[in-house]
Amino acid sequence: MALAFDEYGRPFIILREQESKSRLRGLDAQKANIAAGVAVSRILRTSLGPKGMDKMLQSPDGDITITNDGATILEQMDVDNQIGKLMVELSRSQDYEIGDGTTGVVVLAGALLEQAEKLLERGIHPIRVAEGFEISSRIAVDHLEQISHKFDFNATNIEPLVQTCMTTLSSKIVNRCKRSLAEIAVKAVMAVADLERKDVNLDLIKVEGKVGGKLEDTELIYGIIVDKDMSHPQMPKQIEDAKIAILTCPFEPPKPKTKHKVDIDTVEKFQTLRKQEQKYFDDMVQRCKDVGATLVICQWGFDDEANHLLMHRNLPAVRWVGGVELELIAIATGGRIVPRFQELTTEKLGKAGLVREKSFGTTKDRMLYIEHCANSRAVTVFIRGGNKMMIEETKRSIHDALCVARNLISNNSIVYGGGAAEISCSIAVEAAADKYPGVEQYAIRAFADALDSVPMALAENSGLSCIETLSAVKAQQIKENNHCCGIDCNDTGTNDMREQNVFETLIGKQQQILLATQVVKMILKIDDVISPSEY
């Protein structure tokens, strides 16, 4: 630590308790930070691409997660280092903004950091390196714009969307039925999309999972699934043209708010009280019938006596339905949620073409399907799978596919995947480096090398010899001036990504390059790390 002396030669303290703080300065600080960032990106490098490996993470309370979604791995890893946390934030922001490409963005940032370290060792100032990276990221983003293709699709021709979603799903564990899952994701998005405004509200798509069955049984339901059953086993299991009353008030005789005591000293008084309660509830049930409701969905419960009465009055009911589900049911059926029983009117009822209860396998699990709704803007993706981990991973994969479909609806430009876009950007950045006379030129060339790390990782994970494969593809791109040549991960015999139908969204790729560059600039600008030392 820096020690200061006054004019008499006596030392005095600048930083409190400086002997107990550890401090890294200058190049040491940058190298330590770069090492931390690279270490995080190395973990994710092996799970990039269709042949990427999965990671198994155990939480402190013993829950196990198996995934190769970059954002999930980093969230669950519990990173302690500050720079490591920046990498976690990086993949999280990619996940929030785009939904896909969370692994690639961290791999790219790690590669940029590795290149920056080489330049720092040569004595180039970190700010000049950061400026060079900034220039190159602009070149790369503009180049992506030029090589992108517009995708034409409409409500009837959704094939282009399905192809792009299949690219996203091919790197996940569910890639054996990626075609059906991609179709489900696209149909779900198209059902809730507002094509005039190019806007998709993903909150209207509910992803529900149930252990059992096989992945192929996953289905899209134009309606809502509620993990509940009818409150009485003898109530009808199927109701057609249902008029649904959605209640958030208790469906039982009211309890006074004040403290009270009822003295009952004779049997007659007890009978009277019971009759009064029964009559009150009878009136409630009759009120529902008068309004025209054929099904009551209630947020709260009701006791067995009430259940028995409902059963006798032929009014099916569902109890203990959660708030979020109630909202979705209200959106789907066009009903209104009724908070006070007195306000129940015919206009507030929701309409559904079919409400049915379905049981699964030999277990007593039953779920309620609400289909053919008046407003089919709320849909449910219902996932089946062999175990809980498989279902959780499928949910994450479906989420990625939904995000990709949403991005394509809002901006229908695509670039070619399989590392083709990165290689093309790398060539463009390399070519542009000659125009810059200063020290930045080194950084721009380093950026071009870093872009090659994504196709290199793809080749490495697919078991190909990475340097040979990369140089062959690069040579082919330069020779044929063809931006569609990428790494042939699935060994189909062609490097042309157009033939393999491997597409990625343009905004996803641009966001990856911009975010990675921002984070690397931030890490390079740190030249002093003062941290309390551990005792």
Side-chain angles (χ1 to χ4, degrees):
M1 277 296 176
L3 200 61
F5 296 92
D6 62 7
E7 65 266 39
Y8 301 113
R10 291 180 304 221
F12 62 89
I13 290 174
I14 298 172
L15 288 171
R16 280 188 62 187
E17 297 174 355
Q18 54 184 9
E19 72 283 347
S20 68
K21 288 191 170 77
S22 61
R23 184 172 179 187
L24 280 172
R25 305 164 83 181
L27 205 53
D28 288 341
Q30 273 141 355
K31 283 193 175 170
N33 292 342
I34 287 173
V38 171
V40 173
S41 86
R42 287 243 171 93
I43 296 169
L44 288 194
R45 201 186 154 112
T46 52
S47 58
L48 184 71
K51 297 275 191 287
M53 295 296 185
D54 289 5
K55 308 278 182 251
M56 181 161 155
L57 303 147
Q58 189 172 7
S59 68
D61 51 1
D63 286 344
I64 289 176
T65 311
I66 298 176
T67 178
N68 72 359
D69 175 52
T72 313
I73 295 171
L74 291 179
E75 290 271 328
Q76 307 247 346
M77 241 169 51
D78 205 14
V79 179
D80 195 31
N81 182 289
Q82 285 71 30
I83 302 296
K85 282 183 181 152
L86 278 180
M87 294 302 233
V88 179
E89 292 282 322
L90 167 69
S91 81
R92 191 185 298 150
S93 58
Q94 175 81 9
D95 196 28
Y96 285 166
E97 193 61 37
I98 305 294
D100 182 36
T102 48
T103 316
V105 70
V106 178
V107 171
L108 183 58
L112 283 171
L113 286 173
E114 280 180 10
Q115 294 293 338
E117 187 173 22
K118 290 178 190 165
L119 294 177
L120 293 179
E121 279 172 357
R122 290 186 193 162
I124 297 176
H125 195 279
I127 294 296
R128 304 301 291 271
V129 176
E131 279 169 4
F133 281 176
E134 185 62 38
I135 294 167
S136 358
S137 73
R138 279 203 297 273
I139 296 168
V141 168
D142 294 343
H143 181 68
L144 279 173
E145 195 80 55
Q146 287 160 15
I147 63 170
S148 65
H149 286 254
K150 280 268 185 269
F151 243 10
D152 291 324
F153 64 87
N154 49 37
T156 47
N157 173 29
I158 56 170
E159 187 57 32
L161 290 174
V162 175
Q163 295 286 0
T164 315
C165 285
M166 276 167 65
T167 306
T168 305
L169 292 173
S170 61
S171 68
K172 307 278 186 257
I173 209 167
V174 295
N175 60 3
R176 64 191 169 87
C177 37
K178 61 181 177 188
R179 171 87 213 181
S180 58
L181 287 180
E183 280 178 7
I184 285 173
V186 171
K187 282 176 184 164
V189 169
M190 291 304 264
V192 303
D194 183 349
L195 290 176
E196 274 90 54
R197 280 182 36 234
K198 294 194 167 185
D199 181 47
V200 179
N201 182 2
L202 287 184
D203 291 342
L204 296 176
I205 302 174
K206 185 174 171 217
V207 183
E208 190 70 65
K210 193 101 181 142
V211 176
K214 52 187 189 297
L215 244 182
E216 284 80 0
D217 297 341
T218 301
E219 54 182 341
L220 174 67
I221 289 133
Y222 290 100
I224 301 293
I225 291 188
V226 189
D227 196 358
K228 297 278 176 255
D229 50 359
M230 296 291 187
S231 59
H232 196 291
Q234 287 173 316
M235 282 177 182
K237 299 280 181 258
Q238 189 160 330
I239 306 165
E240 288 177 7
D241 295 330
K243 305 250 187 317
I244 305 172
I246 306 168
L247 305 176
T248 54
C249 50
F251 200 29
E252 54 190 22
K255 296 182 170 49
K257 295 273 187 294
T258 52
K259 283 195 172 175
H260 66 291
K261 211 165 93 182
V262 182
D263 283 334
I264 296 177
D265 43 15
T266 63
V267 178
E268 285 77 31
K269 281 185 183 170
F270 181 73
Q271 295 282 9
T272 326
L273 182 73
R274 190 168 162 279
K275 279 209 179 75
Q276 190 61 40
E277 278 197 351
Q278 200 166 348
K279 179 179 180 305
Y280 193 92
F281 192 74
D282 250 3
D283 291 347
M284 285 174 92
V285 175
Q286 197 52 47
R287 175 82 193 258
C288 291
K289 301 277 281 191
D290 292 345
V291 170
T294 53
L295 171 68
V296 176
I297 293 181
C298 190
Q299 189 172 9
W300 307 106
F302 31 84
D303 54 14
D304 291 344
E305 189 181 1
N307 210 353
H308 176 75
L309 272 168
L310 283 168
M311 160 60 208
H312 274 281
R313 297 279 185 287
N314 282 334
L315 184 62
V318 185
R319 54 184 167 184
W320 304 123
V321 178
V324 181
E325 284 156 342
L326 275 182
E327 282 175 20
L328 280 171
I329 292 170
I331 292 170
T333 57
R336 302 284 291 276
I337 295 175
V338 182
R340 289 176 56 198
F341 203 82
Q342 288 72 27
E343 294 169 7
L344 188 60
T345 55
T346 316
E347 296 82 63
K348 292 186 178 174
L349 297 182
K351 297 177 183 59
L354 177 67
V355 176
R356 61 194 171 97
E357 187 180 290
K358 187 177 175 186
S359 54
F360 295 101
T362 52
T363 54
K364 295 215 165 41
D365 276 348
R366 287 196 285 275
M367 291 179 108
L368 205 63
Y369 284 58
I370 301 173
E371 297 173 298
H372 310 310
C373 303
N375 170 15
S376 65
R377 299 278 314 244
V379 296
T380 307
V381 179
F382 185 50
I383 297 170
R384 305 302 306 275
N387 54 25
K388 187 160 160 264
M389 284 174 278
M390 188 70 186
I391 285 175
E392 289 302 318
E393 179 63 356
T394 311
K395 276 187 185 176
R396 284 189 285 270
S397 310
I398 287 272
H399 170 259
D400 281 12
L402 291 173
C403 289
V404 166
R406 179 196 64 185
N407 294 340
L408 271 179
I409 284 174
S410 57
N411 177 357
N412 62 347
S413 300
I414 53 118
V415 290
Y416 290 97
E422 280 90 351
I423 295 172
S424 183
C425 282
S426 165
I427 294 168
V429 171
E430 186 85 53
D434 299 334
K435 297 180 191 151
Y436 292 89
V439 181
E440 280 86 358
Q441 191 183 45
Y442 285 107
I444 295 172
R445 290 190 196 285
F447 191 92
D449 289 345
L451 280 171
D452 287 341
S453 69
V454 174
M456 285 250 296
L458 282 174
E460 206 175 302
N461 293 345
S462 309
L464 309 165
S465 60
C466 45
I467 295 172
E468 265 178 52
T469 316
L470 177 63
S471 46
V473 172
K474 210 167 186 179
Q476 191 181 347
Q477 273 215 20
I478 295 171
K479 194 170 102 190
E480 299 173 9
N481 195 12
N482 175 4
H483 306 301
C484 313
C485 299
I487 305 290
D488 177 20
C489 294
N490 292 328
D491 216 19
T492 48
T494 169
N495 281 339
D496 196 329
M497 292 294 141
R498 254 181 311 203
E499 289 172 31
Q500 284 202 31
N501 287 331
V502 178
F503 311 121
E504 294 189 51
T505 50
L506 168 70
I507 43 176
K509 270 279 168 272
Q510 287 180 330
Q511 190 80 6
Q512 270 189 351
I513 290 176
L514 290 170
L515 282 176
T517 314
Q518 275 171 19
V519 166
V520 171
K521 269 180 69 178
M522 197 163 154
I523 293 174
L524 285 177
K525 282 188 169 180
I526 299 170
D527 78 327
D528 205 335
V529 180
I530 302 172
S531 49
S533 67
E534 287 86 22
Y535 289 112

